[in-house]
Structures are given as structure tokens and as C-alpha cells.
Amino acid sequence: MANKWLQKLIFEERYFVKELEDIVQAFDAAQNAGMQSALATVVHVEGSSYRRAGARMLITDDGQLTGAISGGCLEGDALRKARLAIARQAPMLVTYDTTDDDDAKFGVGLGCNGIIHILIEPLNVVLPNNPINYFRRFLSERKPVVLITVFALNDKQAAQPGTCALMTGDGKVTGAFPDGIIEDVILTDAADVLKKGDSVTKTYIYANRFTCFIELLQPAVSLIIVGAGNDAIPLTKLAGVLGWQITVIDGRANYVVADRFPMAHTLIVSRPDQALAQLHLDNRTVFVLMTHNYNYDREMLKQLLPLQLSYIGALGPKKRLIRIIEELQEDGLDITPHQLNNVYGPAGLDIGSENAEEIALSIIAEIQAVLMRRNGSSLRYKTSAHSTQNLQMVQSPLSTDA
């Protein structure tokens, strides 16, 4: 049960960065081998599906697949459609209705209950709107961007513009929209997505009717593990599978070594009062304090509390954390309720963890829930169908299309 739940967690999170990294590498390899390729993107989901909007898969003309758009049921048919798109050199929109018995007859049953719309784009390296170019730009910096993908949801036979533009955090836009699209309205919505932090799917009615998947791409989670004991090893392994950027900090040089933490990107040997100067912190940075050294954890928490981080996990009994906080207050540190709200101790969700691997799973799950603003409850109690984006309708006052 835990393994299936972890697999679902991995698929939900990893497409943000890890999947894009894998797709870029696979595209480069295909180019070097002289192969053509196409990108399949889940652009809209109605009801429930294994992957949500934004899931991607690179398909080469020799049948190699990188990434995933489902639990494995759609990939074979998507390969056939991708070869057709490559031959035509034109994007195409494919819809799989898992509520329709006919799909199950053709071997496309997903065990879900939803309608999945997938845009398949042949990739041409010389075109400026090549999605791979946008992925490279996003991956080159730890900054959120918005990717805008345009398609005709109501008419699959119509031209499908595909990936059109990328907006960075400073509002600069790279790319261009086809004729008949109200660019200023879309860019206003894209800026709103950057501000609010949630992707949206909208249908616009102007001279033509078209739908935009306005997608927020966030940098990988930066996990700072303070403590290089044996129980930190499985935590780095699970975080590595998710594609998170991992830093391990400890004052013991013989513990902070690459052989113990091959998944870590950065290893730091430091006293607690000198560690933060060696780090770059942003709103995707989270900490877990697990040195088992009371004074080390206490000094680190003293420095972290004023930083307004989204998540600070503290391993160990609750009374230990309470004692640390009380001592910091007695020393004159002004700790606000908002700061305390971002401290999670004991770290992790209550899933009955006993050993280090299970504790690591519970901590990773809690971090994921906090960053995605979820409560970590069982999906069986969720009342609404799983769909990341709600389809919204926007009609221009100048429209002649009812």
C-alpha cells in the first residue's frame, strides 16, 4: 500500500522539473542520432486521471518514450499518434474518454473515470517556439515561469497552435501567438498565474474559439537536511527520486561524504552559525533538522525562524522542540505565531512510521502536502474529482462567436 501511494506521489511531483530534465536530455540524444521526435502533453483533464495537466512524454520515431502521460495505458496509442504528427509536421489534439466503454475495447482503459486531452507536437529544432527551448530556459534558473499552450478543444480537426510562449517572473515574454488570438488578455492571465501560483485552463472566444493551458512551472524543491546520520540517507534517496535538489549539512566531516550521500547535490561541513552563508534560499527551500545534537539543532532553528520558510521539520519528540523554542524566547528571540506555524515537529505525517525509511517517507509526504497546500488526508475522503485545472470561459465583448 505504501509503495503504491509513494508511486502516485512521485508521478504527481516529479514532472515539475525532473521529467523536463529527462525530456531535454532524450531530445538531445535523439537529435544526435538523427531521429525525429514529438512531445505529448496532457493539456486538460475532465474528471480523474493518473496524470494531471502538465504531464509530458517525449516520443521518438523509433519508439523510445521518455516521461509519462498515464499509468502506462495511453503510451502505446500515443506513439502511433505521434508518428502521424511527425509525418504531417503538425500538432494534433487527441482525446481519451475513460468513461466510454469503447475506449476500453481498444485497450485504452485507465482504471480512472475521466476525459484526458493530449496535445502531440512534432519538435522542429529550428522553430523558435520549440518547447525544448522553453524547457532549457526554465531549467537554467531557479525561478518560476509560465508556459502558454494553445489548442482548439472544441474542434480537434482545426489547427492546433501548440506551445506558443513563455513568461518569466519579471513579465518578459518569449514567443508569439498565431493570428486571431487575443494576446493581451492571455498575457494578463499569465501574469495572474505567476502572482497566485496556480495553473489554469481557459477557453477564449474572440474571432475564433481556442483554449489555453496557462501553466506555472516551479523550480525543484531545495531540501536542506541538517544532519548526516544514518537516518538521513533514506531521506536523500527518496528526495532524489523526486528530482529535488538536496543539500546535507553537518559539523562532522567524516559523516558528510559523497559515498554516504550519492544523491546529494551539495555537501557542507560547517558549524550551525556559518552554514546559512553557504546556501541560496528561496520560496522552494525547505529544511529538516535531524542532527540528534540538541545544541546544533537549537542554533539552526534560531537562524531559520526569521526567514519565513514554508517548511522547517524537526525530528524528535515534541517536548524537545518545545524546550528549544522556550529557550530561544528566553534568550530574547521574538518568535511570532506565523513563524511557529511553519515549524513541523515531530516532522512527518502520521502513517505509523517506525524505521528510518518509513520516517523518510512520512517527512517527504508532509513536505509535499505543505508545498501543495494540501492537508495530507487520504484520497478516499476527497469529494471532488481529481482535476488540477478548472476550465474557464472568457468571452471578448468584440466577439461574434456565441
Side-chain angles (χ1 to χ4, degrees):
M1 182 67 177
N3 287 339
K4 291 181 179 179
W5 187 83
L6 175 60
Q7 185 183 41
K8 176 66 173 174
L9 171 67
I10 291 170
F11 272 121
E12 288 294 337
E13 169 67 15
R14 74 187 293 267
Y15 80 82
F16 275 103
V17 177
K18 183 63 166 62
E19 196 160 79
L20 296 185
E21 291 175 344
D22 293 343
I23 285 173
V24 170
Q25 292 177 5
F27 174 79
D28 289 341
Q31 286 294 115
N32 292 334
M35 293 185 294
Q36 292 183 299
S37 56
L39 182 70
T41 304
V42 178
V43 290
H44 185 55
V45 173
E46 302 171 50
S48 63
S49 74
Y50 192 77
R51 297 299 309 269
R52 57 183 176 177
R56 291 182 171 86
M57 181 174 70
L58 185 82
I59 306 166
T60 60
D61 55 6
D62 69 342
Q64 296 184 46
L65 308 177
T66 303
I69 53 173
S70 75
C73 304
L74 295 183
E75 277 67 8
D77 190 70
L79 171 59
R80 291 188 288 273
K81 298 293 196 304
R83 284 172 171 161
L84 180 59
I86 291 173
R88 294 177 176 175
Q89 281 299 295
M92 61 188 300
L93 187 68
V94 183
T95 297
Y96 298 97
D97 186 351
T98 65
T99 66
D100 187 344
D101 290 338
D102 287 340
D103 271 355
K105 293 176 184 177
F106 288 103
V108 188
L110 297 182
C112 299
N113 188 29
I115 301 173
I116 300 97
H117 303 277
I118 296 174
L119 182 70
I120 301 178
E121 303 173 81
L123 299 177
N124 189 332
V125 70
V126 302
L127 295 180
N129 278 10
N130 182 353
I132 301 298
N133 294 336
Y134 295 140
F135 299 161
R136 290 190 204 279
R137 183 167 180 180
F138 165 65
L139 294 170
S140 67
E141 299 180 346
R142 281 194 57 83
K143 295 180 180 179
V145 301
V146 169
L147 194 65
I148 303 171
T149 303
V150 181
F151 53 100
L153 185 62
N154 66 313
D155 184 3
K156 298 178 183 60
Q157 303 307 315
Q160 304 292 337
T163 307
C164 289
L166 178 139
M167 175 182 283
T168 55
D170 56 4
K172 294 182 178 179
V173 179
T174 302
F177 296 93
D179 294 338
I181 289 182
I182 40 179
E183 179 177 338
D184 56 339
V185 176
I186 297 175
L187 295 182
T188 297
D189 288 335
D192 195 50
V193 165
L194 270 172
K195 181 180 179 180
K196 294 182 178 179
D198 290 313
S199 302
V200 298
T201 300
K202 287 189 175 184
T203 292
Y204 300 83
I205 302 175
Y206 185 54
N208 299 309
R209 182 188 180 106
F210 55 91
T211 302
C212 286
F213 177 34
I214 307 176
E215 178 188 11
L216 178 69
L217 296 179
Q218 294 270 31
V221 176
S222 175
L223 173 63
I224 315 296
I225 302 173
V226 183
N230 291 341
D231 52 356
I233 295 175
L235 187 60
T236 64
K237 290 181 178 179
L238 288 183
V241 170
L242 290 170
W244 292 3
Q245 293 186 358
I246 306 161
T247 300
V248 179
I249 302 173
D250 203 304
R252 300 166 291 182
N254 59 322
Y255 276 58
V256 190
V257 292
D259 288 345
R260 286 171 54 79
F261 299 101
M263 303 295 288
H265 299 79
T266 306
L267 299 174
I268 298 175
V269 180
S270 174
R271 291 167 39 186
D273 58 337
Q274 299 174 347
L276 293 188
Q278 305 178 58
L279 300 172
H280 171 73
L281 309 181
D282 55 35
N283 62 357
R284 298 280 285 174
T285 302
V286 298
F287 278 78
V288 178
L289 307 181
M290 53 191 309
T291 66
H292 303 285
N293 181 313
Y294 182 88
N295 291 328
Y296 200 109
D297 285 352
R298 178 183 182 277
E299 182 60 31
M300 282 300 303
L301 187 58
K302 177 182 178 180
Q303 298 177 73
L304 296 178
L305 281 171
L307 300 181
Q308 304 295 329
L309 298 164
S310 299
Y311 181 93
I312 304 171
L315 205 66
K318 194 177 194 70
K319 62 181 181 181
R320 179 179 186 268
L321 176 60
I322 292 174
R323 179 185 167 193
I324 289 176
I325 292 172
E326 289 176 344
E327 288 184 1
L328 293 177
Q329 290 174 323
E330 290 171 0
D331 291 345
L333 184 64
D334 183 19
I335 303 175
T336 67
H338 179 69
Q339 290 172 342
L340 286 178
N341 190 54
N342 296 333
V343 179
Y344 294 78
L349 297 182
D350 184 4
I351 58 173
S353 304
E354 293 290 342
N355 57 40
E357 289 75 16
E358 294 168 348
I359 292 171
L361 172 61
S362 74
I363 293 174
I364 290 288
E366 182 175 56
I367 294 172
Q368 169 74 3
V370 169
L371 293 179
M372 297 299 290
R373 300 189 294 276
R374 303 294 177 90
N375 58 18
S377 63
S378 176
L379 289 174
R380 69 182 296 179
Y381 301 118
K382 190 171 183 178
T383 56
S384 60
H386 176 64
S387 180
T388 307
Q389 287 80 26
N390 293 321
L391 185 62
Q392 303 175 36
M393 194 76 70
V394 178
Q395 184 162 344
S396 167
L398 301 179
S399 174
T400 57
D401 186 349

